[in-house]
Amino acid sequence: MSLTKTDKALIAAIWAKVSTQADSIGTEALERLFVSYPQTKTYFPHFDLHHGSAQLRGHGSKVIGAIGDAVKDIDNLESSLSKLSELHAYILRVDPVNFKLLSHTILVTIAAHFPAEFTAEAHAAWDKFLTKVSAILTEKYR
Amino acid sequence: MVNWTAEEKQAISTIWAKIDIEEVGAGALSRLLVVYPWTQRYFSNFGNLSSPQAIEGNPRVRNHGKKVLTSFGEAVKNLDNVKATFDKLSELHSDKLHVDPQNFRLLGDNLIIVLAATMGKDFTPEAQAAWQKLVGVVASALSRKYH
């Protein structure tokens, strides 16, 4: 499943909106993850995960920042995500099933904030994009 | 039997009361067909599904989306007995429609995305969690009679 020119345009257009509130969107996506899928909290025993926590905000910002970097380098995802891929494979070792869950809560957050722009085609493009990012991040697991 | 907290029941019924079943149902089904085009395999007699615009404008998709979400409403009305409520529908999807149960999960997640788009901020993380639980329960109930 590869990204077409149209997909890339849609991905960039949505990113342009997301980037205006990147940190709060990243934070909200994580919050939704922890509330809907409490098992994901097991990766953050060292964090205060309450609404409004500085750590939650910091991590949300980090995650969305990485996604933004991926958007900017969309023709080169394998190499631009290479370090993060190693991090997830050797250090973090987040079970692959969780990438789908976070991708879903990112899409839900985007839909909630930008319903007019988040058309079915934009949704399809972002679903493909996040699937590709997830695949790259789990590529070195074994 | 599923255990629902009072807050979960309220999040479900409050949101259900606010939404336009036809709009949300049509939206969720058309997104399924656009975002996961292989799901079109179950709708070969629906006419023109050749583009996102065709899908979104297709009256059969719209009607079917309304039908599906209306049926979903039976779960909302019978939260304490979802399994029995979908007994017959489960058999239908297995024996007559031959639908892979994975599609119930895909449609459920799409419904949640449409709810988020429809309700914005009001679709809080807690409301989403209640609805994720509901779509999971419905998917499970619809899968139960497969053999």
Side-chain angles (χ1 to χ4, degrees):
Chain A
M1 299 194 238
S2 56
L3 298 171
T4 65
K5 253 209 223 143
T6 314
D7 287 335
K8 292 179 190 177
L10 288 166
I11 290 162
I14 292 286
W15 177 255
K17 302 297 275 183
V18 169
S19 61
T20 63
Q21 312 171 23
D23 284 2
S24 62
I25 288 188
T27 306
E28 185 180 323
L30 282 181
E31 219 179 314
R32 287 182 183 276
L33 182 73
F34 297 137
V35 175
S36 274
Y37 310 107
Q39 68 275 19
T40 57
K41 294 191 290 187
T42 56
Y43 292 99
F44 300 93
H46 54 302
F47 266 26
D48 167 10
L49 295 177
H50 290 105
H51 178 75
S53 113
Q55 284 178 310
L56 192 55
R57 191 162 190 86
H59 200 66
S61 171
K62 198 185 244 184
V63 169
I64 205 80
I67 289 176
D69 290 344
V71 173
K72 286 174 209 135
D73 215 0
I74 203 163
D75 288 322
N76 247 327
L77 284 177
E78 277 85 357
S79 56
S80 63
L81 290 172
S82 177
K83 286 240 163 356
L84 270 181
S85 179
E86 284 170 12
L87 181 74
H88 283 77
Y90 307 130
I91 315 289
L92 302 177
R93 292 171 291 184
V94 172
D95 192 289
V97 69
N98 296 290
F99 291 88
K100 260 199 206 287
L101 302 181
L102 179 57
S103 296
H104 175 64
T105 62
I106 289 171
L107 295 179
V108 171
T109 306
I110 295 176
H113 284 261
F114 308 110
E117 292 83 355
F118 200 60
T119 60
E121 296 101 299
H123 174 176
W126 265 79
D127 193 277
K128 280 170 82 173
F129 171 58
L130 291 176
T131 301
K132 193 162 187 188
V133 169
S134 303
I136 293 170
L137 290 178
T138 53
E139 194 177 39
K140 299 174 185 174
Y141 271 40
R142 55 177 172 173
Chain B
M1 227 203 58
V2 181
N3 283 321
W4 301 97
T5 64
E7 291 80 9
E8 284 169 342
K9 286 190 172 188
Q10 180 165 70
I12 290 166
S13 55
T14 308
I15 287 176
W16 186 255
K18 286 197 179 136
I19 59 177
D20 179 330
I21 307 291
E22 179 168 342
E23 279 310 312
V24 173
L29 184 62
S30 59
R31 268 184 203 250
L32 184 77
L33 299 171
V34 169
V35 179
Y36 309 106
W38 54 92
T39 58
Q40 293 168 27
R41 73 188 299 286
Y42 298 108
F43 301 101
S44 53
N45 61 340
F46 265 33
N48 189 3
L49 299 179
S50 60
S51 69
Q53 291 71 22
I55 290 168
E56 277 155 15
N58 186 315
R60 298 191 64 173
V61 172
R62 196 167 187 85
N63 282 336
H64 197 68
K66 178 180 177 182
K67 182 181 193 175
V68 168
L69 198 61
T70 302
S71 175
F72 195 92
E74 291 304 304
V76 174
K77 292 188 208 119
N78 293 290
L79 286 177
D80 290 328
N81 205 358
V82 177
K83 263 193 261 187
T85 304
F86 286 129
D87 248 4
K88 288 269 170 300
L89 268 181
S90 180
E91 283 171 13
L92 179 79
H93 282 76
S94 162
D95 302 341
K96 295 276 181 312
L97 303 177
H98 309 291
V99 175
D100 183 335
Q102 175 62 10
N103 292 285
F104 307 143
R105 285 166 222 124
L106 291 181
L107 182 60
D109 276 350
N110 257 347
L111 172 60
I112 296 221
I113 286 176
V114 174
L115 288 177
T118 306
M119 310 196 62
K121 263 199 280 265
D122 288 347
F123 196 61
T124 61
E126 291 72 21
Q128 179 186 349
W131 276 83
Q132 295 286 169
K133 188 168 165 178
L134 178 59
V135 301
V137 166
V138 170
S140 201
L142 284 174
S143 315
R144 220 172 137 252
K145 290 301 182 101
Y146 277 61
H147 59 99

